[in-house]
Amino acid sequence: MTTPDAAPSGSRHEAVHSASFITELLDVMWDNARNSTAGMTAPGSTSQLRLMYVVDREDGIRMRTVCERLASAAPTVTRMCDRLQATGFLERLPSPDNGREITLRLTPTGKRHLQRIREQRDTMLHQAIGNMSPTERRALALGLAGLHRQLNTAHPQEHRTPGSELKRSWPDAAARPSSCPTPSPSYAP
């Protein structure tokens, strides 16, 4: 993994390279945050954490829908659910309209665990973004809002967030461009 060039030329290739690099870096940082969550047994894999994010976004989601969202086979998702249920993070319930289907929801313990991970992740992001100049923050905000919009357009189910908007509190409200959605603390990756 190489670092992105400091001087952006605006080319699509360099933008993709920079986005890939930062995604890998954030994955490592967030995995460390997940593993260091104090006082809790963390899910054993990033896949289990992804499952928790999907269930958190859609309380009572059907197991079949989770399989589609994660692009995973039912037995794989079932094993992840078994592990998350054993740690007390997830519960399975019969579907209210079809007793043969299972719905999933996070337990209060699972929700608290995700909240701790999000708080640690937000602290890292706030520190890094807080050290950027206002111009850099505005450019980042515009770029991320554009990327999010394009991902939602190209892959609406895979990148769906509540309200299908980029919802995140900005470190400097004055730096948030008027074209960016109004932030809300409920955004989850």
Side-chain angles (χ1 to χ4, degrees):
M1 180 165 60
T2 59
T3 59
D5 297 332
S9 71
S11 79
R12 182 182 302 180
H13 176 74
E14 288 178 0
V16 168
H17 178 75
S18 293
S20 293
F21 174 80
I22 199 68
T23 299
E24 291 171 5
L25 178 63
L26 290 171
D27 278 347
V28 170
M29 291 172 64
W30 293 341
D31 194 49
N32 289 339
R34 176 181 60 85
N35 291 329
S36 70
T37 301
M40 297 292 296
T41 302
S45 71
T46 303
S47 297
Q48 289 175 17
L49 187 61
R50 285 179 54 225
L51 186 147
M52 289 179 70
Y53 285 138
V54 169
V55 173
D56 189 48
R57 285 186 203 125
E58 295 182 58
D59 193 46
I61 188 171
R62 296 176 192 277
M63 175 90 81
R64 178 175 32 94
T65 305
V66 171
C67 293
E68 292 168 5
R69 296 265 161 70
L70 296 177
S72 296
T76 302
V77 173
T78 298
R79 282 190 301 275
M80 286 191 289
C81 289
D82 289 343
R83 291 181 198 117
L84 290 170
Q85 191 170 13
T87 60
F89 290 162
L90 181 82
E91 63 182 342
R92 292 183 256 207
L93 304 164
S95 173
D97 56 325
N98 182 345
R100 295 183 314 192
E101 287 193 282
I102 300 296
T103 61
L104 304 172
R105 81 172 14 135
L106 294 181
T107 64
T109 302
K111 288 180 183 271
R112 282 191 304 273
H113 181 70
L114 279 186
Q115 183 61 33
R116 284 187 197 100
I117 291 171
R118 288 174 175 142
E119 287 169 1
Q120 289 178 346
R121 187 181 58 202
D122 286 354
T123 297
M124 287 186 264
L125 288 172
H126 278 280
Q127 288 171 348
I129 293 171
N131 290 329
M132 297 169 70
S133 72
T135 302
E136 290 172 323
R137 287 193 298 266
R138 278 191 287 281
L140 176 65
L142 285 171
L144 289 175
L147 177 61
H148 190 264
R149 192 172 41 255
Q150 294 305 315
L151 289 172
N152 272 334
T153 299
H155 309 281
Q157 288 302 321
E158 291 89 345
H159 301 281
R160 190 168 94 49
T161 58
S164 295
E165 299 175 352
L166 183 60
K167 296 179 178 181
R168 181 55 91 193
S169 56
W170 298 85
D172 177 2
R176 183 178 54 81
S178 59
S179 62
C180 291
T182 303
S184 160
S186 65
Y187 174 78

